[in-house]
Every structure is written in structure tokens, then in C-alpha cells.
Amino acid sequence: MTHPQQVGAPPVPPTTPAPVPAPAPRRAAFAEGVDRLRAAATTEPGRLRVIGAVLAVLVVAFGAVTAWQMTDRSNAADDVLHSSQPLSASAADIYRSLADANTAASSGFLTGGQEPAATTRRYEQDIRTAASGLVTAAAGTEAGSPAADTIARLNKLLPLYKGLIERARANNRQGFPVGGAYLRAANDVMQQQMLPAAQDLYTKENQRLRSDYADATPYPWFAIVLGVLALAALGWAQRRHYLRTNRVLNRGLVAATAAATIVLLWLLAGHSVARADLDSSYAHGVRSLTVLHDARIASLNARGNENLTLVSRGAETRKLPGGKVEDAYDYAFQQDMKTLSATLAEAGSLADDRAGRQPVTAATGNMKVWRQRHAQARAADDDGDYQAALDKIIGSKADQPTGECFDSVDANLAKALDHEESEFEQAAGGGRGAMTGLPLGAAVLAVLGAAGAVLGIGRRLSEYR
């Protein structure tokens, strides 16, 4: 029975419900995943799943990084063999062809109005070779690059040079002295614009070649470190398996270890062989080729300046300290011969077999005779016997001309270049071949190794079901 509230008693306050606690903020999915992983790792099946996942990731990462790094090195080695070195040789050939065309033009001019057919053919062949080399170089060069700009400049200068030579020939046939002025103008275009541009192109292609070597030869340390880590993890997992089960082998883990070991050994051996061959191709191929190209260029420049000494007949001079005046072209000839002598000495020291040394030795002997005959020609010219000097430069074989020496130097250098080119191709090809199949093989073996690790751990997990 409910009793009524007494009169005069204070009112009873209404009851207030207790506050409801706010829901806890939801944690990030990553944090929740870590908690679940930590909880799973407190049991042996959970720990085995974590171990299997880590082993699979390590082995796959090792294979992927190996494939990636060796693909880059293999591509760089392929560029060395099939792109940058051939383009470097093509650039050197462009320079040689231009310099030889200039030499042939001056030689033909010295013979008078009736230029020998052989000299004309040589000049025209050199011009065609240079033009063809520029087309090849343009095809292998990126548009807008500095090398492409150099090639475009040479393509513009070549018709200008040819036009000056034709004017020189036309005036020379008619006996007009202005023909010599046109020839000197053509020579100035060649010496001051075309050959420096060709030299610049050669330098750029050599830089590209060195860059490709730098990309092809470094050891793939990232892949090697990952391989060592993967093998260490696999070894630890097998030791753990042995200590917990007293079983010596887990077939899946053994297969994964074998696959990772094969990849690591293949990586170390294949890259070491490739690096050794590529280093050999540079030391005994590229360096020798560079020096021999320099020697051939010096020889061509010397021959051109020797001819122009007689063409100008003292029209171009330079002052020496003390006020003495000398012929500018003869001075340039002497400088070119010093360069030729130095480069031949270096080429001889770089040659590593008899086939490489023999033509360099022969060219050195030809150069010495050339200097002697040139001195005789200069003595005759200084005595006022221009015809005797001319015969000593471009005369018949009975006159023992310097042209005979120049041709012998050029032929021997060409022979040495062919030999060193063959040496380079053999060594660089061996380096490229040592990496063949390694990227794909590493990827396949890594997938098989990861599968072996997962199966091996799965076999162990089946014991808990």
C-alpha cells in the first residue's frame, strides 16, 4: 500500500539516468592488423605463418632485384657492344674522312690543272663516307641533344666546303692564282669549323661510351645483400625446424635454399665474368682504338698542312718570339708530327700482342722516314727550287715522296685499328654473353624458391590440424 507524502515534507527530486560512456575511437586498420598478427604469433601455427610469409617475400624480393639490376647492366653492356662504341667509331670515321678529303683536295691542287683521277676518286669517296657517317650518327642520336646539334651543323657546313673546293679546282684548271685563295678558304672552313665540330661529336660519343661502361660494370650490391639475407633467413628457419622437431630436413625449405643459392652464385659468377670481360674490352680495346684514331687524325692533319705549305707559298705566316717569321702551315705540320709520335708511342705500349704491335711499329718507322723526306722538301723550297720540293711531296715513287710515307702510315694504322676492333668485339661480346639469361633465370628461380618456402612451412602447419 502506498502511503501519501506527508504534508510539509520536501519534494523528492526526479531520478537522473547514469551517463552512457562514449564509444572508443576506432583504431587504424594497420594497427588492428598488427594486433592480430601479434596475437597470432603467440601460437606456433601463427608464428609459422609469419615465418613462411617473410621467407617468401625475401626470396621473391631477391629474385626481383636481381632481375632488375642485371637487366640494367645487360642492357648497358649491349649498348657498349652495339650502340655507343660503333657510334664512337663512326664519329672518328667522320673526322678521318673529312680530314682525308681535305688532304686529297690539297694534293690534287698541287698537281696543277689536270688533277689525277685517283685523287679525285679519293676525295669524292671521303665526302660520301663523311655524309653517310653523319646519317648513321643522326639515326643513333636523340633529337635535340647536343650531338644532334653538332651533326646538323656539319650537314650545313659540308656543302659550303664542297662549293669552295669546286671553285678552287675550276680556277686552278684555268691557271688563275685565286684558286689557291679558295683552297685556303676551304681549308679554313675545314680546320676551324668542321673538324672541331667532328672532334666535338667524337668526344660526346666517347662520353656516352664511358657512361655505358659505368652502368654495365658496378657490382649489384643491393641484390647481393638481399641474397645473403634470404639465405640467412632460410638457414635460421631450417635450424629452428630442426630444434623443434628433431628433423634434419624440410624439403620445401631445402628447395628454397638451393634456388636462392643458385641465383646468388650465378649472380656473383656471371657478373664477375662480365665485369672482367668488359674491363678488358675497355683497357685493351677502347683505349687502344682511341689512341689509334688520334694517331690517324694527326697523320691526316700533318699531310694536309704539308700540302698547304706548298699551296700557300709563304702567304700564311706566324711570328715567333724574337720577331722571327715562319710558315704557319709548316709550323702546324711540326705540331701534328709531335702528336703523331706521342700517340704512336702510346699505342705501342697499349698493344698486348704481336698482331697489335707490328703495324704500330711499322707506322712509327714510316713516320721517321716521312720527317726526313719532309726536311729535304723544305730545304729545296727554301733554296728556291719549288719543283724539287713539289716532287718530294707528291712526286713519283722514284722521287721518294712524303706521300708514300703518309700512305704507309695510314695503311698500318688502319690495320692496327681493325685488329683492336676485333679484340674489343670479342671481349665486349664475352661480357655481354656472361649476363645472358641471368635476369629471367633469377626471376624464375626466385618464384620456385618462394613456393618451396611456402610449401615447406605449409607441411609443418599441417601437423597442427
Side-chain angles (χ1 to χ4, degrees), residues 44-111:
E44 180 61 13
R47 284 191 289 268
L48 287 173
R49 291 188 181 93
V50 172
I51 291 171
V54 170
L55 291 177
V57 168
L58 273 176
V59 174
V60 169
F62 170 44
V65 172
T66 298
W68 161 51
Q69 290 196 304
M70 294 312 297
T71 296
D72 284 349
R73 283 155 178 77
S74 180
N75 289 340
D78 191 70
D79 286 342
V80 165
L81 183 61
H82 297 119
S83 178
S84 51
Q85 198 283 327
L87 284 173
S88 176
S90 178
D93 202 40
I94 289 170
Y95 191 111
R96 187 206 65 78
S97 298
L98 292 173
D100 193 58
N102 202 45
T103 298
S106 59
S107 296
F109 190 91
L110 285 174
T111 60

Short mmCIF file of all heavy atoms in Angstrom, two decimals, residues 44-111:
data_model
loop_
_atom_site.label_atom_id
_atom_site.label_comp_id
_atom_site.label_asym_id
_atom_site.label_seq_id
_atom_site.Cartn_x
_atom_site.Cartn_y
_atom_site.Cartn_z
N GLU A 44 52.18 -21.34 -32.10
CA GLU A 44 53.16 -21.88 -33.04
C GLU A 44 52.65 -21.85 -34.48
O GLU A 44 53.39 -21.45 -35.39
CB GLU A 44 53.54 -23.31 -32.65
CG GLU A 44 54.56 -23.97 -33.56
CD GLU A 44 55.90 -23.25 -33.60
OE1 GLU A 44 56.15 -22.37 -32.75
OE2 GLU A 44 56.72 -23.54 -34.50
N PRO A 45 51.40 -22.21 -34.77
CA PRO A 45 50.92 -22.09 -36.15
C PRO A 45 50.99 -20.65 -36.66
O PRO A 45 51.34 -20.40 -37.81
CB PRO A 45 49.48 -22.58 -36.07
CG PRO A 45 49.46 -23.51 -34.91
CD PRO A 45 50.40 -22.90 -33.90
N GLY A 46 50.67 -19.71 -35.78
CA GLY A 46 50.76 -18.30 -36.19
C GLY A 46 52.18 -17.89 -36.50
O GLY A 46 52.44 -17.18 -37.48
N ARG A 47 53.09 -18.33 -35.65
CA ARG A 47 54.50 -17.99 -35.90
C ARG A 47 54.98 -18.60 -37.20
O ARG A 47 55.74 -17.99 -37.95
CB ARG A 47 55.35 -18.45 -34.72
CG ARG A 47 55.24 -17.56 -33.50
CD ARG A 47 56.30 -17.90 -32.47
NE ARG A 47 56.03 -19.17 -31.82
CZ ARG A 47 55.34 -19.32 -30.69
NH1 ARG A 47 54.81 -18.26 -30.09
NH2 ARG A 47 55.15 -20.51 -30.15
N LEU A 48 54.56 -19.81 -37.48
CA LEU A 48 54.97 -20.46 -38.73
C LEU A 48 54.44 -19.71 -39.94
O LEU A 48 55.13 -19.58 -40.96
CB LEU A 48 54.48 -21.91 -38.75
CG LEU A 48 55.22 -22.88 -37.82
CD1 LEU A 48 54.54 -24.23 -37.81
CD2 LEU A 48 56.69 -23.03 -38.26
N ARG A 49 53.21 -19.21 -39.86
CA ARG A 49 52.66 -18.44 -40.98
C ARG A 49 53.46 -17.16 -41.21
O ARG A 49 53.74 -16.79 -42.35
CB ARG A 49 51.19 -18.11 -40.71
CG ARG A 49 50.25 -19.30 -40.75
CD ARG A 49 48.80 -18.88 -40.67
NE ARG A 49 47.91 -20.03 -40.69
CZ ARG A 49 47.47 -20.64 -39.60
NH1 ARG A 49 47.82 -20.18 -38.39
NH2 ARG A 49 46.68 -21.69 -39.70
N VAL A 50 53.84 -16.50 -40.12
CA VAL A 50 54.64 -15.28 -40.26
C VAL A 50 55.99 -15.61 -40.88
O VAL A 50 56.48 -14.91 -41.78
CB VAL A 50 54.81 -14.59 -38.89
CG1 VAL A 50 55.82 -13.44 -38.99
CG2 VAL A 50 53.48 -14.09 -38.37
N ILE A 51 56.61 -16.68 -40.41
CA ILE A 51 57.92 -17.08 -40.94
C ILE A 51 57.82 -17.41 -42.42
O ILE A 51 58.66 -16.99 -43.24
CB ILE A 51 58.47 -18.29 -40.15
CG1 ILE A 51 58.84 -17.86 -38.72
CG2 ILE A 51 59.70 -18.88 -40.85
CD1 ILE A 51 59.18 -19.00 -37.80
N GLY A 52 56.79 -18.15 -42.80
CA GLY A 52 56.62 -18.50 -44.21
C GLY A 52 56.45 -17.28 -45.09
O GLY A 52 57.02 -17.18 -46.18
N ALA A 53 55.64 -16.31 -44.59
CA ALA A 53 55.41 -15.08 -45.38
C ALA A 53 56.70 -14.29 -45.53
O ALA A 53 57.03 -13.79 -46.62
CB ALA A 53 54.34 -14.23 -44.70
N VAL A 54 57.47 -14.17 -44.45
CA VAL A 54 58.73 -13.41 -44.51
C VAL A 54 59.72 -14.08 -45.45
O VAL A 54 60.38 -13.41 -46.27
CB VAL A 54 59.33 -13.25 -43.10
CG1 VAL A 54 60.74 -12.68 -43.17
CG2 VAL A 54 58.45 -12.36 -42.24
N LEU A 55 59.84 -15.40 -45.37
CA LEU A 55 60.76 -16.12 -46.26
C LEU A 55 60.37 -15.94 -47.73
O LEU A 55 61.22 -15.70 -48.59
CB LEU A 55 60.79 -17.61 -45.91
CG LEU A 55 61.42 -17.99 -44.57
CD1 LEU A 55 61.30 -19.49 -44.34
CD2 LEU A 55 62.88 -17.56 -44.52
N ALA A 56 59.07 -16.06 -48.01
CA ALA A 56 58.62 -15.91 -49.40
C ALA A 56 58.90 -14.50 -49.92
O ALA A 56 59.37 -14.34 -51.05
CB ALA A 56 57.13 -16.22 -49.49
N VAL A 57 58.64 -13.49 -49.08
CA VAL A 57 58.89 -12.11 -49.51
C VAL A 57 60.37 -11.87 -49.75
O VAL A 57 60.76 -11.24 -50.75
CB VAL A 57 58.34 -11.12 -48.45
CG1 VAL A 57 58.84 -9.71 -48.72
CG2 VAL A 57 56.82 -11.15 -48.44
N LEU A 58 61.22 -12.37 -48.87
CA LEU A 58 62.67 -12.18 -49.03
C LEU A 58 63.18 -12.83 -50.32
O LEU A 58 63.96 -12.22 -51.06
CB LEU A 58 63.41 -12.76 -47.83
CG LEU A 58 63.60 -11.85 -46.62
CD1 LEU A 58 64.27 -12.61 -45.49
CD2 LEU A 58 64.43 -10.63 -47.00
N VAL A 59 62.75 -14.07 -50.57
CA VAL A 59 63.23 -14.77 -51.76
C VAL A 59 62.73 -14.10 -53.03
O VAL A 59 63.48 -13.91 -54.00
CB VAL A 59 62.82 -16.26 -51.72
CG1 VAL A 59 63.20 -16.96 -53.02
CG2 VAL A 59 63.49 -16.96 -50.54
N VAL A 60 61.45 -13.70 -53.04
CA VAL A 60 60.90 -13.03 -54.23
C VAL A 60 61.58 -11.68 -54.43
O VAL A 60 61.92 -11.29 -55.56
CB VAL A 60 59.37 -12.86 -54.09
CG1 VAL A 60 58.84 -11.92 -55.17
CG2 VAL A 60 58.69 -14.21 -54.21
N ALA A 61 61.80 -10.94 -53.34
CA ALA A 61 62.48 -9.64 -53.46
C ALA A 61 63.89 -9.82 -53.99
O ALA A 61 64.36 -9.03 -54.83
CB ALA A 61 62.51 -8.95 -52.10
N PHE A 62 64.59 -10.84 -53.53
CA PHE A 62 65.94 -11.12 -54.02
C PHE A 62 65.92 -11.38 -55.52
O PHE A 62 66.72 -10.81 -56.28
CB PHE A 62 66.50 -12.32 -53.26
CG PHE A 62 67.79 -12.86 -53.82
CD1 PHE A 62 68.82 -12.01 -54.22
CD2 PHE A 62 67.98 -14.24 -53.95
CE1 PHE A 62 70.01 -12.52 -54.74
CE2 PHE A 62 69.16 -14.74 -54.46
CZ PHE A 62 70.17 -13.88 -54.87
N GLY A 63 64.98 -12.22 -55.97
CA GLY A 63 64.91 -12.51 -57.40
C GLY A 63 64.52 -11.29 -58.22
O GLY A 63 65.09 -11.05 -59.30
N ALA A 64 63.58 -10.50 -57.71
CA ALA A 64 63.12 -9.32 -58.45
C ALA A 64 64.24 -8.28 -58.58
O ALA A 64 64.45 -7.71 -59.66
CB ALA A 64 61.90 -8.71 -57.77
N VAL A 65 64.94 -8.02 -57.47
CA VAL A 65 66.03 -7.03 -57.51
C VAL A 65 67.17 -7.53 -58.40
O VAL A 65 67.77 -6.75 -59.15
CB VAL A 65 66.52 -6.72 -56.09
CG1 VAL A 65 67.78 -5.87 -56.13
CG2 VAL A 65 65.43 -6.01 -55.31
N THR A 66 67.46 -8.83 -58.33
CA THR A 66 68.50 -9.39 -59.21
C THR A 66 68.13 -9.22 -60.67
O THR A 66 68.94 -8.80 -61.50
CB THR A 66 68.72 -10.88 -58.88
OG1 THR A 66 69.17 -11.02 -57.54
CG2 THR A 66 69.76 -11.48 -59.82
N ALA A 67 66.88 -9.55 -61.01
CA ALA A 67 66.43 -9.40 -62.39
C ALA A 67 66.50 -7.95 -62.83
O ALA A 67 66.94 -7.65 -63.95
CB ALA A 67 65.01 -9.93 -62.54
N TRP A 68 66.09 -7.03 -61.96
CA TRP A 68 66.09 -5.60 -62.29
C TRP A 68 67.52 -5.09 -62.50
O TRP A 68 67.81 -4.47 -63.54
CB TRP A 68 65.40 -4.84 -61.17
CG TRP A 68 65.70 -3.38 -61.14
CD1 TRP A 68 65.62 -2.49 -62.17
CD2 TRP A 68 66.20 -2.64 -60.01
NE1 TRP A 68 66.02 -1.23 -61.75
CE2 TRP A 68 66.37 -1.30 -60.44
CE3 TRP A 68 66.48 -2.97 -58.70
CZ2 TRP A 68 66.84 -0.31 -59.58
CZ3 TRP A 68 66.94 -1.99 -57.83
CH2 TRP A 68 67.11 -0.68 -58.28
N GLN A 69 68.41 -5.35 -61.54
CA GLN A 69 69.76 -4.81 -61.65
C GLN A 69 70.54 -5.44 -62.79
O GLN A 69 71.29 -4.75 -63.50
CB GLN A 69 70.52 -5.01 -60.33
CG GLN A 69 69.98 -4.13 -59.20
CD GLN A 69 70.95 -4.02 -58.04
OE1 GLN A 69 71.35 -5.02 -57.46
NE2 GLN A 69 71.32 -2.79 -57.71
N MET A 70 70.36 -6.73 -63.00
CA MET A 70 71.11 -7.38 -64.08
C MET A 70 70.54 -7.04 -65.45
O MET A 70 71.25 -7.04 -66.45
CB MET A 70 71.15 -8.89 -63.86
CG MET A 70 71.94 -9.30 -62.63
SD MET A 70 73.56 -8.49 -62.52
CE MET A 70 74.37 -9.11 -63.99
N THR A 71 69.24 -6.74 -65.52
CA THR A 71 68.68 -6.26 -66.79
C THR A 71 69.29 -4.93 -67.17
O THR A 71 69.66 -4.71 -68.33
CB THR A 71 67.15 -6.14 -66.68
OG1 THR A 71 66.58 -7.44 -66.46
CG2 THR A 71 66.57 -5.55 -67.96
N ASP A 72 69.41 -4.03 -66.18
CA ASP A 72 70.04 -2.73 -66.45
C ASP A 72 71.47 -2.90 -66.92
O ASP A 72 71.90 -2.26 -67.89
CB ASP A 72 70.01 -1.87 -65.19
CG ASP A 72 68.63 -1.28 -64.92
OD1 ASP A 72 67.77 -1.38 -65.81
OD2 ASP A 72 68.43 -0.73 -63.82
N ARG A 73 72.22 -3.76 -66.27
CA ARG A 73 73.63 -3.96 -66.64
C ARG A 73 73.76 -4.67 -67.98
O ARG A 73 74.65 -4.36 -68.78
CB ARG A 73 74.35 -4.74 -65.54
CG ARG A 73 74.67 -3.85 -64.33
CD ARG A 73 74.81 -4.65 -63.04
NE ARG A 73 75.16 -3.77 -61.94
CZ ARG A 73 74.30 -2.96 -61.32
NH1 ARG A 73 73.04 -2.93 -61.72
NH2 ARG A 73 74.69 -2.19 -60.32
N SER A 74 72.87 -5.60 -68.23
CA SER A 74 72.89 -6.31 -69.51
C SER A 74 72.56 -5.36 -70.66
O SER A 74 73.21 -5.40 -71.72
CB SER A 74 71.90 -7.47 -69.48
OG SER A 74 71.90 -8.16 -70.70
N ASN A 75 71.59 -4.49 -70.45
CA ASN A 75 71.24 -3.50 -71.49
C ASN A 75 72.40 -2.53 -71.74
O ASN A 75 72.67 -2.15 -72.88
CB ASN A 75 69.99 -2.73 -71.08
CG ASN A 75 68.74 -3.58 -71.13
OD1 ASN A 75 68.70 -4.61 -71.81
ND2 ASN A 75 67.70 -3.18 -70.42
N ALA A 76 73.07 -2.12 -70.66
CA ALA A 76 74.21 -1.21 -70.82
C ALA A 76 75.35 -1.89 -71.57
O ALA A 76 76.00 -1.29 -72.43
CB ALA A 76 74.69 -0.72 -69.45
N ALA A 77 75.59 -3.17 -71.25
CA ALA A 77 76.64 -3.91 -71.96
C ALA A 77 76.28 -4.08 -73.44
O ALA A 77 77.15 -4.01 -74.32
CB ALA A 77 76.85 -5.28 -71.31
N ASP A 78 75.00 -4.29 -73.70
CA ASP A 78 74.55 -4.40 -75.08
C ASP A 78 74.74 -3.07 -75.82
O ASP A 78 75.13 -3.05 -76.99
CB ASP A 78 73.08 -4.82 -75.12
CG ASP A 78 72.62 -5.20 -76.51
OD1 ASP A 78 73.05 -6.25 -77.01
OD2 ASP A 78 71.84 -4.43 -77.10
N ASP A 79 74.49 -1.96 -75.12
CA ASP A 79 74.71 -0.65 -75.73
C ASP A 79 76.19 -0.43 -76.03
O ASP A 79 76.54 0.17 -77.06
CB ASP A 79 74.20 0.46 -74.79
CG ASP A 79 72.68 0.54 -74.76
OD1 ASP A 79 72.04 0.01 -75.68
OD2 ASP A 79 72.15 1.11 -73.79
N VAL A 80 77.06 -0.86 -75.12
CA VAL A 80 78.51 -0.75 -75.36
C VAL A 80 78.88 -1.45 -76.66
O VAL A 80 79.62 -0.92 -77.50
CB VAL A 80 79.30 -1.34 -74.18
CG1 VAL A 80 80.76 -1.57 -74.57
CG2 VAL A 80 79.24 -0.40 -72.98
N LEU A 81 78.37 -2.67 -76.82
CA LEU A 81 78.76 -3.50 -77.96
C LEU A 81 78.11 -3.06 -79.26
O LEU A 81 78.76 -3.03 -80.31
CB LEU A 81 78.40 -4.96 -77.67
CG LEU A 81 78.79 -6.01 -78.71
CD1 LEU A 81 80.30 -6.03 -78.92
CD2 LEU A 81 78.30 -7.39 -78.30
N HIS A 82 76.82 -2.69 -79.20
CA HIS A 82 76.08 -2.46 -80.44
C HIS A 82 75.68 -1.02 -80.70
O HIS A 82 75.14 -0.72 -81.77
CB HIS A 82 74.81 -3.33 -80.45
CG HIS A 82 75.08 -4.80 -80.42
ND1 HIS A 82 74.66 -5.63 -79.41
CD2 HIS A 82 75.76 -5.59 -81.28
CE1 HIS A 82 75.05 -6.86 -79.65
NE2 HIS A 82 75.72 -6.87 -80.79
N SER A 83 75.90 -0.13 -79.75
CA SER A 83 75.46 1.24 -79.95
C SER A 83 76.57 2.26 -79.74
O SER A 83 77.04 2.88 -80.69
CB SER A 83 74.28 1.55 -79.00
OG SER A 83 73.86 2.88 -79.15
N SER A 84 76.98 2.44 -78.49
CA SER A 84 77.88 3.56 -78.19
C SER A 84 79.27 3.40 -78.81
O SER A 84 79.83 4.36 -79.33
CB SER A 84 77.99 3.77 -76.68
OG SER A 84 78.31 2.57 -76.01
N GLN A 85 79.83 2.18 -78.77
CA GLN A 85 81.16 2.01 -79.37
C GLN A 85 81.10 2.14 -80.90
O GLN A 85 81.93 2.83 -81.49
CB GLN A 85 81.79 0.68 -78.96
CG GLN A 85 83.30 0.61 -79.18
CD GLN A 85 83.69 0.41 -80.63
OE1 GLN A 85 82.96 -0.28 -81.37
NE2 GLN A 85 84.82 0.95 -81.06
N PRO A 86 80.14 1.50 -81.57
CA PRO A 86 80.04 1.73 -83.02
C PRO A 86 79.82 3.20 -83.38
O PRO A 86 80.36 3.69 -84.37
CB PRO A 86 78.85 0.86 -83.43
CG PRO A 86 78.83 -0.24 -82.43
CD PRO A 86 79.24 0.41 -81.14
N LEU A 87 79.02 3.92 -82.57
CA LEU A 87 78.80 5.33 -82.85
C LEU A 87 80.08 6.14 -82.61
O LEU A 87 80.36 7.10 -83.33
CB LEU A 87 77.67 5.88 -81.99
CG LEU A 87 76.25 5.49 -82.43
CD1 LEU A 87 75.22 5.94 -81.41
CD2 LEU A 87 75.94 6.07 -83.81
N SER A 88 80.84 5.76 -81.59
CA SER A 88 82.12 6.42 -81.36
C SER A 88 83.07 6.19 -82.53
O SER A 88 83.74 7.12 -83.00
CB SER A 88 82.75 5.89 -80.06
OG SER A 88 84.03 6.45 -79.85
N ALA A 89 83.11 4.94 -83.02
CA ALA A 89 83.94 4.64 -84.18
C ALA A 89 83.44 5.38 -85.41
O ALA A 89 84.25 5.85 -86.23
CB ALA A 89 83.95 3.13 -84.43
N SER A 90 82.11 5.51 -85.56
CA SER A 90 81.56 6.23 -86.69
C SER A 90 81.94 7.71 -86.63
O SER A 90 82.26 8.33 -87.66
CB SER A 90 80.03 6.08 -86.71
OG SER A 90 79.45 6.82 -87.76
N ALA A 91 81.91 8.29 -85.41
CA ALA A 91 82.31 9.69 -85.26
C ALA A 91 83.78 9.89 -85.62
O ALA A 91 84.15 10.87 -86.27
CB ALA A 91 82.04 10.16 -83.82
N ALA A 92 84.62 8.93 -85.20
CA ALA A 92 86.03 9.02 -85.56
C ALA A 92 86.21 8.88 -87.07
O ALA A 92 87.07 9.55 -87.67
CB ALA A 92 86.81 7.92 -84.84
N ASP A 93 85.39 8.04 -87.69
CA ASP A 93 85.49 7.86 -89.14
C ASP A 93 85.04 9.11 -89.88
O ASP A 93 85.56 9.44 -90.95
CB ASP A 93 84.65 6.66 -89.57
CG ASP A 93 85.11 6.08 -90.91
OD1 ASP A 93 86.33 6.02 -91.13
OD2 ASP A 93 84.25 5.73 -91.73
N ILE A 94 84.04 9.81 -89.32
CA ILE A 94 83.61 11.08 -89.91
C ILE A 94 84.78 12.07 -89.91
O ILE A 94 85.07 12.73 -90.91
CB ILE A 94 82.41 11.66 -89.14
CG1 ILE A 94 81.15 10.82 -89.41
CG2 ILE A 94 82.15 13.11 -89.56
CD1 ILE A 94 79.99 11.16 -88.51
N TYR A 95 85.45 12.17 -88.77
CA TYR A 95 86.59 13.08 -88.68
C TYR A 95 87.68 12.66 -89.68
O TYR A 95 88.22 13.50 -90.40
CB TYR A 95 87.15 13.05 -87.25
CG TYR A 95 88.18 14.14 -86.96
CD1 TYR A 95 87.88 15.17 -86.09
CD2 TYR A 95 89.42 14.13 -87.56
CE1 TYR A 95 88.80 16.18 -85.82
CE2 TYR A 95 90.35 15.12 -87.32
CZ TYR A 95 90.04 16.14 -86.44
OH TYR A 95 90.97 17.13 -86.19
N ARG A 96 87.98 11.36 -89.71
CA ARG A 96 89.04 10.89 -90.60
C ARG A 96 88.69 11.17 -92.06
O ARG A 96 89.55 11.61 -92.84
CB ARG A 96 89.26 9.38 -90.40
CG ARG A 96 90.45 8.83 -91.17
CD ARG A 96 90.29 7.37 -91.48
NE ARG A 96 89.18 7.12 -92.38
CZ ARG A 96 89.24 7.32 -93.69
NH1 ARG A 96 90.34 7.79 -94.26
NH2 ARG A 96 88.19 7.07 -94.44
N SER A 97 87.43 10.93 -92.42
CA SER A 97 87.02 11.14 -93.81
C SER A 97 87.11 12.61 -94.19
O SER A 97 87.55 12.95 -95.30
CB SER A 97 85.58 10.64 -94.01
OG SER A 97 85.50 9.26 -93.77
N LEU A 98 86.69 13.51 -93.28
CA LEU A 98 86.77 14.94 -93.57
C LEU A 98 88.22 15.38 -93.71
O LEU A 98 88.58 16.13 -94.63
CB LEU A 98 86.07 15.74 -92.47
CG LEU A 98 84.55 15.58 -92.39
CD1 LEU A 98 84.01 16.30 -91.16
CD2 LEU A 98 83.88 16.12 -93.65
N ALA A 99 89.06 14.93 -92.78
CA ALA A 99 90.48 15.32 -92.84
C ALA A 99 91.14 14.75 -94.09
O ALA A 99 91.96 15.43 -94.73
CB ALA A 99 91.20 14.84 -91.58
N ASP A 100 90.79 13.52 -94.45
CA ASP A 100 91.40 12.91 -95.64
C ASP A 100 90.90 13.59 -96.91
O ASP A 100 91.66 13.75 -97.88
CB ASP A 100 91.08 11.42 -95.68
CG ASP A 100 91.94 10.67 -96.69
OD1 ASP A 100 93.18 10.73 -96.56
OD2 ASP A 100 91.37 10.06 -97.61
N ALA A 101 89.62 14.00 -96.92
CA ALA A 101 89.11 14.74 -98.09
C ALA A 101 89.87 16.04 -98.26
O ALA A 101 90.21 16.44 -99.39
CB ALA A 101 87.62 15.01 -97.91
N ASN A 102 90.15 16.71 -97.15
CA ASN A 102 90.91 17.96 -97.21
C ASN A 102 92.32 17.72 -97.73
O ASN A 102 92.86 18.50 -98.52
CB ASN A 102 90.95 18.58 -95.82
CG ASN A 102 91.23 20.07 -95.86
OD1 ASN A 102 90.66 20.80 -96.67
ND2 ASN A 102 92.12 20.53 -95.01
N THR A 103 92.91 16.62 -97.30
CA THR A 103 94.25 16.26 -97.76
C THR A 103 94.24 15.93 -99.25
O THR A 103 95.12 16.36 -100.01
CB THR A 103 94.77 15.06 -96.96
OG1 THR A 103 94.87 15.43 -95.58
CG2 THR A 103 96.13 14.60 -97.45
N ALA A 104 93.25 15.14 -99.67
CA ALA A 104 93.16 14.78 -101.09
C ALA A 104 92.93 16.02 -101.96
O ALA A 104 93.51 16.14 -103.06
CB ALA A 104 92.03 13.77 -101.30
N ALA A 105 92.12 16.95 -101.49
CA ALA A 105 91.86 18.17 -102.26
C ALA A 105 93.14 18.99 -102.43
O ALA A 105 93.42 19.49 -103.53
CB ALA A 105 90.80 19.01 -101.55
N SER A 106 93.91 19.12 -101.36
CA SER A 106 95.16 19.89 -101.48
C SER A 106 96.19 19.17 -102.33
O SER A 106 96.94 19.79 -103.09
CB SER A 106 95.72 20.18 -100.08
OG SER A 106 95.99 18.99 -99.38
N SER A 107 96.21 17.83 -102.24
CA SER A 107 97.15 17.06 -103.08
C SER A 107 96.80 17.22 -104.55
O SER A 107 97.68 17.40 -105.41
CB SER A 107 97.11 15.58 -102.69
OG SER A 107 97.56 15.39 -101.38
N GLY A 108 95.50 17.14 -104.88
CA GLY A 108 95.08 17.31 -106.27
C GLY A 108 95.38 18.71 -106.78
O GLY A 108 95.75 18.89 -107.95
N PHE A 109 95.25 19.70 -105.91
CA PHE A 109 95.52 21.08 -106.31
C PHE A 109 96.99 21.25 -106.69
O PHE A 109 97.33 21.97 -107.64
CB PHE A 109 95.15 22.02 -105.16
CG PHE A 109 95.16 23.47 -105.55
CD1 PHE A 109 94.02 24.08 -106.02
CD2 PHE A 109 96.32 24.23 -105.44
CE1 PHE A 109 94.01 25.43 -106.37
CE2 PHE A 109 96.33 25.56 -105.79
CZ PHE A 109 95.18 26.17 -106.26
N LEU A 110 97.87 20.58 -105.95
CA LEU A 110 99.31 20.74 -106.21
C LEU A 110 99.72 20.19 -107.57
O LEU A 110 100.74 20.61 -108.12
CB LEU A 110 100.12 20.03 -105.11
CG LEU A 110 100.19 20.74 -103.74
CD1 LEU A 110 100.89 19.86 -102.72
CD2 LEU A 110 100.91 22.08 -103.88
N THR A 111 98.95 19.25 -108.11
CA THR A 111 99.34 18.64 -109.38
C THR A 111 99.05 19.56 -110.57
O THR A 111 99.44 19.26 -111.70
CB THR A 111 98.58 17.32 -109.59
OG1 THR A 111 97.18 17.57 -109.60
CG2 THR A 111 98.92 16.32 -108.51
#
